Amino acid sequence: GSILSLARNRNGQMEPVDLKGMVQDTLLLLEREFRKYRIHLEIGLDEALPQVHGSASDLQRVLINLLVNARQATPEGGSVRVGLKLDAKSQDVILSIRDTGTGIAPEVLPRIFDPFFSTKSGPDSSGKGGTGVGLSACKEVIDAHGGRIRVESSVGKGTAFMIRLPSIQPCT
């Protein structure tokens, strides 16, 4: 939980958030962990992105959670790709995290955002496993931001999480 406590230093009020800066900071925070497990971090962030309205610390917790999950699901030599782009039509900012990991079984997929649902049976030797609060908490945060989170997964190929957050419109 050491990484999470770093992200917890703000008191959750909503303010304009520079998602790109937050994503870059978070990746710096986790870079060493990915290197240690020999997983490639691929990063594709749009040049110019509008801000979103929200809590940077809450959004950072979601990102850390998804990245750690992706890292745990991905075998050595695999890769995790983090993308951030603007959907020009909806003006949503889309954050995506794709891994080349084990994937999530189709019968489990609809339940992964349920509170206390976990695909992990408790911590194993690598420190994987956990309480299952992860994804339901992520969904709560994204809902509170007026956003949407969805997942696509194929067993043996990997999993992608896509988060859409409404951007703050520049005043015209």
Side-chain angles (χ1 to χ4, degrees):
S2 56
I3 297 176
L4 289 184
S5 56
L6 287 177
R8 245 178 224 165
N9 52 11
R10 298 232 185 78
N11 44 10
Q13 81 272 34
M14 296 275 192
E15 58 198 358
V17 175
D18 166 24
L19 265 185
K20 187 175 181 178
M22 185 274 284
V23 169
Q24 287 167 325
D25 291 349
T26 309
L27 292 170
L28 279 176
L29 216 57
L30 293 176
E31 202 174 36
R32 188 183 296 141
E33 189 182 341
F34 275 81
R35 253 205 317 272
K36 185 173 109 183
Y37 290 97
R38 296 190 179 80
I39 294 165
H40 305 287
L41 255 184
E42 297 172 14
I43 301 164
L45 312 179
D46 273 5
E47 272 311 299
L49 288 159
Q51 293 181 312
V52 301
H53 192 60
S55 156
S57 56
D58 287 352
L59 290 171
Q60 184 175 39
R61 273 211 297 282
V62 169
L63 180 59
I64 288 172
N65 210 314
L66 292 175
L67 283 169
V68 169
N69 283 351
R71 198 266 300 153
Q72 291 177 345
T74 304
E76 264 194 28
S79 63
V80 172
R81 182 175 170 77
V82 180
L84 197 57
K85 63 177 203 279
L86 181 66
D87 178 342
K89 206 165 68 201
S90 65
Q91 291 295 302
D92 289 344
V93 179
I94 302 173
L95 171 63
S96 57
I97 293 122
R98 297 170 188 277
D99 65 54
T100 57
T102 45
I104 301 167
E107 64 274 13
V108 168
L109 209 52
R111 295 175 24 229
I112 62 167
F113 294 112
D114 295 356
F116 306 114
F117 177 76
S118 181
T119 53
K120 306 177 190 139
S121 53
D124 63 19
S125 57
S126 69
K128 298 179 187 180
T131 55
V133 291
L135 289 172
S136 70
C138 290
K139 186 176 185 317
E140 261 173 52
V141 169
I142 300 307
D143 287 348
H145 283 75
R148 291 205 304 279
I149 180 168
R150 65 190 184 85
V151 60
E152 289 167 6
S153 188
S154 31
V155 174
K157 291 212 182 104
T159 302
F161 283 93
M162 265 79 64
I163 294 174
R164 285 182 166 265
L165 292 164
S167 65
I168 299 174
Q169 299 300 322
C171 307
T172 44

